[in-house]
Amino acid sequence: MTWVYAEAADGRFLLSARGHATGSEAGCAFISGILYALAGYLSNAEAEGCARIGRMKLEPGDVSIRAQGGERIQAAFDMAVIGLLQLEKQYPELVRVEISGK
């Protein structure tokens, strides 16, 4: 099971994921794809001066992404969280998403 935690407040964003989608290579690939896409987007945005990455840890079974930014970063973060929520809806045995304040 992959446990995801998301938090956003005042232009600060945190997305962390722990664990593995055990028994499903496809599930693992889906989750990893979303997380790596967000990481790549934030890295590009930081290079353009649109974001500041506070932490970026991308290890198997242990992901933590902290960033700051405006509307562009909010939209990317929202897209990633929505994608993970869709995976949770379809594969509740593989991923669980917790959003701060919900």
Side-chain angles (χ1 to χ4, degrees):
M1 170 76 70
T2 300
W3 298 92
V4 177
Y5 176 78
E7 183 178 310
D10 301 321
R12 293 186 184 101
F13 307 94
L14 166 66
L15 188 60
S16 66
R18 304 279 185 275
H20 295 278
T22 306
S24 174
E25 288 183 34
C28 183
F30 297 152
I31 295 164
S32 296
I34 291 171
L35 296 171
Y36 275 87
L38 177 62
Y41 186 89
L42 291 173
S43 294
N44 290 343
E46 184 176 52
E48 296 169 6
C50 299
R52 192 173 122 238
I53 297 172
R55 177 177 173 85
M56 180 95 63
K57 179 180 182 182
L58 300 167
E59 296 179 7
D62 189 10
V63 172
S64 181
I65 300 170
R66 275 189 194 274
Q68 293 180 329
E71 290 179 12
R72 180 176 166 187
I73 304 312
Q74 175 76 56
F77 179 83
D78 289 347
M79 183 280 311
V81 171
I82 289 167
L84 291 163
L85 287 168
Q86 291 297 313
L87 288 173
E88 178 186 43
K89 186 176 180 178
Q90 180 127 8
Y91 304 101
E93 71 282 4
L94 299 179
V95 62
R96 192 69 38 96
V97 179
E98 178 186 343
I99 301 172
S100 176
K102 291 190 177 183

